[in-house]
């Protein structure tokens, strides 16, 4: 599989790009996929409004870990928990936005501002199902490989 590199990120903040470069740039094998290597990002020229989350302090990057256990979780259980946590965080963001605490610039965050990028259509369906249990509607934007999309070219 051919992987494309995103040199200039037009959608993320300077602080997030710096955090990602620090996290992934420190590990030569940051990804388990053979042939996929992290390439440092640079801030694009497109203007962007700041993301503000008054509930969490607006850190540019938050890394979640699953709670410690004596025995490791199997892949299916870890995926189930990650899916649930992702959907719950989206619900929190949307509820907080409705209360005026989460915004992009001066406007409230809305569902159309949120994207969950996953490697397979099956994972997308799992996220959609979990969001539906929280009464959050969603769409699968594309069935194409994300590396070949118009957004990747931007």
């Amino acid at each position: 599989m051919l992987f494309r590199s995103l040199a200039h990120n037009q959608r993320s903040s300077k602080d997030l790009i710096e955090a990602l470069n620090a996290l992934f740039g420190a590990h030569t094998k940051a990804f388990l996929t053979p042939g996929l290597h992290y390439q440092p990002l640079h801030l694009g020229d497109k203007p962007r409004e700041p993301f503000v989350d008054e509930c969490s302090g607006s850190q540019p990057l938050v890394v979640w870990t699953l709670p410690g256990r004596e025995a490791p979780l199997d892949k299916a259980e870890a995926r189930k928990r990650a899916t649930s946590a992702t959907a719950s965080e989206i619900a929190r963001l949307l509820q907080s936005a409705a209360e005026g605490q989460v915004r992009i610039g001066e406007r409230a965050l809305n569902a159309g501002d949120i994207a969950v990028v996953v490697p397979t259509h099956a994972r997308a369906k799992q996220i959609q199902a979990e969001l539906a249990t929280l009464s959050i509607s969603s769409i699968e934007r594309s069935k194409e490989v994300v590396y070949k999309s118009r957004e990747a070219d931007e």
Side-chain angles (χ1 to χ4, degrees):
M1 174 179 271
L2 174 66
F3 295 104
R4 295 169 58 183
S5 176
L6 175 70
H8 291 87
N9 187 310
Q10 301 295 338
R11 298 175 186 253
S12 298
S13 70
K14 178 179 180 276
D15 290 343
L16 177 58
I17 290 170
E18 289 174 355
L20 291 169
N21 286 341
L23 176 66
F24 293 115
H27 304 284
T28 57
K29 294 187 179 184
F31 304 106
L32 298 177
T33 304
L36 182 60
H37 305 285
Y38 185 77
Q39 300 293 322
L41 298 171
H42 303 281
L43 185 65
D45 295 329
K46 183 179 176 181
R48 64 198 53 77
E49 295 291 325
F51 173 76
V52 178
D53 181 352
E54 294 175 1
C55 303
S56 72
S58 296
Q59 299 92 353
L61 177 66
V62 177
V63 177
W64 293 347
T65 59
L66 294 171
R69 294 171 42 116
E70 290 181 22
L73 293 174
D74 64 36
K75 189 174 183 177
E77 181 62 23
R79 181 170 285 152
K80 180 179 173 184
R81 290 185 187 193
T83 299
S84 176
T86 300
S88 294
E89 177 64 2
I90 291 169
R92 182 196 72 79
L93 287 168
L94 293 174
Q95 180 60 43
S96 296
E99 296 167 359
Q101 298 173 320
V102 176
R103 58 190 179 279
I104 296 176
E106 296 302 316
R107 71 169 178 81
L109 176 82
N110 66 61
D113 295 318
I114 300 171
V116 180
V117 179
V118 293
T120 66
H121 303 299
R123 289 288 295 127
K125 295 296 182 199
Q126 291 169 341
I127 294 285
Q128 283 184 305
E130 191 69 25
L131 287 168
T133 67
L134 299 171
S135 300
I136 299 172
S137 59
S138 63
I139 60 168
E140 186 173 349
R141 176 93 186 261
S142 174
K143 293 191 180 295
E144 66 184 301
V145 176
V146 75
Y147 300 111
K148 297 179 183 176
S149 69
R150 178 181 54 80
E151 286 83 358
D153 284 334
E154 288 181 1

